Amino acid sequence: MKRYFLIIMVLCVLAIACSAMIACNSSEDPIPSKYTGTYSNYMYGSIELTTTKVSSNQLLVPECKMNGQKLESPVLSWLPVSFDYQEDMTYSFTANATDSISGKSGNVSFNGQIVDNLLTYNAWLYYTDGKAIILSKEI
């Protein structure tokens, strides 16, 4: 009887430890729903954020690396992809994007940060050497 009790206690401790490790992994947390929606800029286009995915129909990026090759001024589109979101409101993702100008397609990596302002939410989208596009969503 003591042996079964000990086994059950060890399994409970392991289950609690595993759930704590999963719960503390902020990269798997979705963004708060108030930040979801379309972020746009009249010069660059837009991205669509859901709580767990990001997509774009047309986004002009001054430059980027697609599969390690530099592209100048591509207009990128990609289907919804998952992104990593951190509690400090930073995010990162890699999209299998297509450049509508050259027709090239491949992996493009981005990171950024959501900023909560007085009248808008801004999504900073870093593309190369710390340069960023600022996309906005009205509150």
Side-chain angles (χ1 to χ4, degrees):
M1 185 68 156
K2 289 183 180 181
R3 180 182 300 172
Y4 291 119
F5 180 73
L6 183 60
I7 291 172
I8 291 172
M9 291 302 293
V10 168
L11 289 175
C12 287
V13 169
L14 287 173
I16 291 169
C18 287
S19 65
M21 287 188 320
I22 291 170
C24 292
N25 186 355
S26 62
S27 68
E28 294 180 0
D29 288 347
I31 64 171
S33 60
K34 71 179 185 176
Y35 298 121
T36 62
T38 301
Y39 288 78
S40 61
N41 179 308
Y42 72 94
M43 288 177 45
Y44 298 110
S46 64
I47 61 172
E48 183 73 28
L49 283 179
T50 68
T51 55
T52 59
K53 299 200 182 275
V54 59
S55 62
S56 181
N57 286 330
Q58 284 194 335
L59 182 68
L60 171 64
V61 182
E63 64 184 72
C64 71
K65 287 189 177 180
M66 181 179 282
N67 294 335
Q69 188 176 49
K70 186 176 180 180
L71 294 179
E72 297 287 336
S73 301
V75 177
L76 301 176
S77 300
W78 65 87
L79 296 174
V81 295
S82 296
F83 60 91
D84 292 325
Y85 177 75
Q86 305 296 320
E87 290 178 2
D88 64 357
M89 298 176 70
T90 59
Y91 63 92
S92 61
F93 65 94
T94 298
N96 185 9
T98 301
D99 175 15
S100 63
I101 296 173
S102 69
K104 294 180 181 180
S105 63
N107 290 331
V108 180
S109 295
F110 295 101
N111 59 56
Q113 184 168 16
I114 306 276
V115 178
D116 195 339
N117 292 317
L118 185 60
L119 299 174
T120 63
Y121 297 134
N122 291 339
W124 290 69
L125 187 66
Y126 296 97
Y127 55 92
T128 303
D129 300 327
K131 298 174 188 167
I133 296 171
I134 303 171
L135 305 164
S136 298
K137 171 190 161 187
E138 289 186 20
I139 296 178

